[in-house]
Amino acid sequence: MSTNWETAEALKAPMEICWQFDYEIGIEKLRNLYSKSKQRQWDAEVDIDWSQPVDPSKPIIDEGQFMFDRLSVIKKLSPSKREEFTAHMSCHLLSQFLHGEQGAMMTAAALTHAVPDYEGKLYAATQTMDEARHVEVYERYINKLAVIYPISPWLKSLIDVTLQADHWVKIAIGMNMVVEGLALGAFHNMRRATTCELLRSITNNVLQDEARHVAFGNVYVGETIKEMDDDEREDIAGFAFEAVKLMSDSQGGARGDGQRAPDPGFLQMLATVGIEPKDFIASLMEAGASGLRAKMPPGQIHSFKDLMMPALVRVGAITDRTREMYAEAEIPVWEDASQLEALEDSETGVADLDRAEAY
Ligand SMILES: [Fe+2]
Ligand SMILES: [Fe+2]
């Protein structure tokens, strides 16, 4: 047996882990989530029809919904080059999902260790298995399409900060609300937009699981924060702000209309398809100057507005003190949880969100 230490990356975590010898179920909602998780297990190998073809020359995510399509640097590419760009661009995005899923698998395992309640441990163990499946399906899909690109630095730092947090509530906030909030919005939008049946079926299955993961954050974190004293609550709220700020900076602000942070993996992707990064950046600046913005088509979910911020407000992870910090950072504290609730109540993680069509 050989262990792949050369490519492994180690982190030290200060988390307190605990046993629980009281096997009484105290939190009924968590028991229900655990039951649902057991019933809804699926096998990535058997339940997905991997024989469906993936045509790398076809856009994997509907071209029309790509803001990049409107950039002059892309418009002047030949049709075949443009398709190649779309495929690699999709792989870059899907690689972020893949790495994010690995992070989610590790944070779920960390929750299994750290949560104090028996039913919390049972639930977190099922989430760990869910995330393992998600890693498996995205790895397999990306390798059918093209190549795996490196993790974006902001995503790596956000997940590292989460993995190295000293309290399980911070892990649940960093992963189940912030990272999964973004992922859930992106999965939902991708499922609607994709022209690839295989990708759609993968995403359908993943979404079913993710809806439970977000619900867990709400049920368990909310109860725990309620019982905290002010200092503890402020510590948690401060962490939530840092996590949201990290993500917001990387996305060009919470509204998504500012400058995004540079991403070496994205530059590598451009080089692979033969686009000069400086031409690409110039084209982006030109588009920005002419008022071209990534506009969301109707029916799309806005991760910050519809999922992440309402989830944080609902569990009490935003205090008067941090509200001022959000205001200063120009991150609106959106509170309308109706989209989030529709998703948590749905059996599929999908159907009810489609009511957002008129939104
Ligand atoms: Fe996942
Ligand atoms: Fe998840």
Side-chain angles (χ1 to χ4, degrees):
M1 193 192 101
S2 74
T3 308
N4 198 359
W5 275 113
E6 287 86 48
T7 48
E9 222 187 282
L11 292 178
K12 291 242 184 292
M15 180 67 68
E16 202 169 72
I17 63 178
C18 60
W19 282 85
Q20 176 53 266
F21 293 110
D22 177 358
Y23 294 98
E24 282 297 310
I25 299 276
I27 308 171
E28 206 50 44
K29 281 183 181 164
L30 275 188
R31 188 233 295 263
N32 294 343
L33 271 182
Y34 173 60
S35 301
K36 227 188 211 179
S37 291
K38 282 187 298 179
Q39 289 155 16
R40 299 276 162 85
Q41 292 293 306
W42 48 279
D43 184 339
E45 220 165 310
V46 179
D47 297 327
I48 301 280
D49 177 8
W50 291 99
S51 70
Q52 296 175 85
V54 176
D55 180 354
S57 70
K58 274 217 182 120
I60 301 310
I61 297 169
D62 185 0
E63 268 183 311
Q65 299 202 356
F66 257 168
M67 182 244 186
F68 291 127
D69 242 30
R70 287 175 274 158
L71 298 180
S72 60
V73 71
I74 304 302
K75 277 196 206 154
K76 65 178 184 233
L77 294 177
S78 68
S80 69
K81 264 282 162 204
R82 206 193 281 205
E83 283 172 357
E84 192 187 337
F85 168 76
T86 308
H88 279 263
M89 167 83 202
S90 303
C91 268
H92 178 263
L93 176 66
L94 292 167
S95 298
Q96 305 316 310
F97 292 157
L98 167 67
H99 303 310
E101 295 294 359
Q102 185 190 165
M105 178 172 71
M106 293 194 286
T107 54
L111 286 174
T112 314
H113 274 149
V115 295
D117 300 292
Y118 164 58
E119 59 276 37
K121 287 181 183 297
L122 292 181
Y123 164 80
T126 63
Q127 183 173 338
T128 310
M129 182 56 212
D130 293 345
E131 307 296 8
R133 267 197 310 268
H134 302 173
V135 176
E136 184 186 345
V137 287
Y138 284 113
E139 183 276 327
R140 201 160 162 179
Y141 183 82
I142 295 169
N143 278 315
K144 262 172 102 81
L145 179 61
V147 291
I148 295 174
Y149 282 101
I151 187 167
S152 296
W154 70 267
L155 181 60
K156 175 77 167 39
S157 1
L158 177 54
I159 298 178
D160 280 354
V161 165
T162 302
L163 276 167
Q164 293 182 292
D166 58 3
H167 196 293
W168 73 263
V169 168
K170 293 181 185 172
I171 292 198
I173 285 177
M175 180 52 72
N176 293 57
M177 293 182 193
V178 178
V179 177
E180 293 191 317
L182 182 79
L184 207 55
F187 286 148
H188 175 77
N189 297 337
M190 183 168 76
R191 178 192 149 273
R192 296 174 59 91
T194 188
T195 50
C196 176
E197 277 313 311
L198 178 57
L199 184 58
R200 193 194 309 278
S201 62
I202 287 173
T203 309
N204 274 339
N205 279 28
V206 169
L207 272 168
Q208 269 184 33
D209 296 341
E210 296 297 352
R212 285 195 304 273
H213 305 169
V214 172
F216 164 77
N218 181 41
V219 169
Y220 202 22
V221 170
E223 289 299 310
T224 310
I225 290 181
K226 238 185 259 160
E227 289 164 10
M228 286 180 166
D229 64 34
D230 287 351
D231 286 352
E232 279 177 308
R233 193 175 305 120
E234 286 300 347
D235 180 38
I236 297 294
F239 177 86
F241 172 76
E242 293 306 326
V244 170
K245 177 83 171 54
L246 244 169
M247 176 160 292
S248 159
D249 288 348
S250 76
Q251 303 294 304
R255 291 190 169 89
D257 54 3
Q259 196 98 359
R260 286 178 182 235
D263 181 339
F266 192 83
L267 298 181
Q268 184 189 323
M269 184 278 291
L270 290 177
T272 307
V273 293
I275 297 173
E276 273 289 328
K278 65 171 177 14
D279 294 346
F280 189 83
I281 290 162
S283 191
L284 266 185
M285 308 269 278
E286 167 202 305
S290 68
L292 179 64
R293 293 270 182 260
K295 210 170 164 286
M296 295 211 314
Q300 294 245 320
I301 293 293
H302 187 298
S303 296
F304 275 92
K305 185 172 181 226
D306 299 325
L307 307 175
M308 204 181 297
M309 299 308 291
L312 291 170
V313 170
R314 204 172 49 169
V315 296
I318 295 181
T319 59
D320 291 345
R321 181 183 68 98
T322 60
R323 260 179 206 275
E324 286 172 21
M325 292 158 75
Y326 287 103
E328 211 164 293
E330 294 181 31
I331 302 171
V333 178
W334 285 291
E335 309 205 6
D336 179 1
S338 53
Q339 297 269 1
L340 182 62
E341 280 159 10
L343 177 144
E344 286 165 347
D345 292 344
S346 79
E347 291 296 297
T348 58
V350 170
D352 292 356
L353 273 185
D354 281 339
R355 288 192 318 218
E357 202 78 50
Y359 169 75

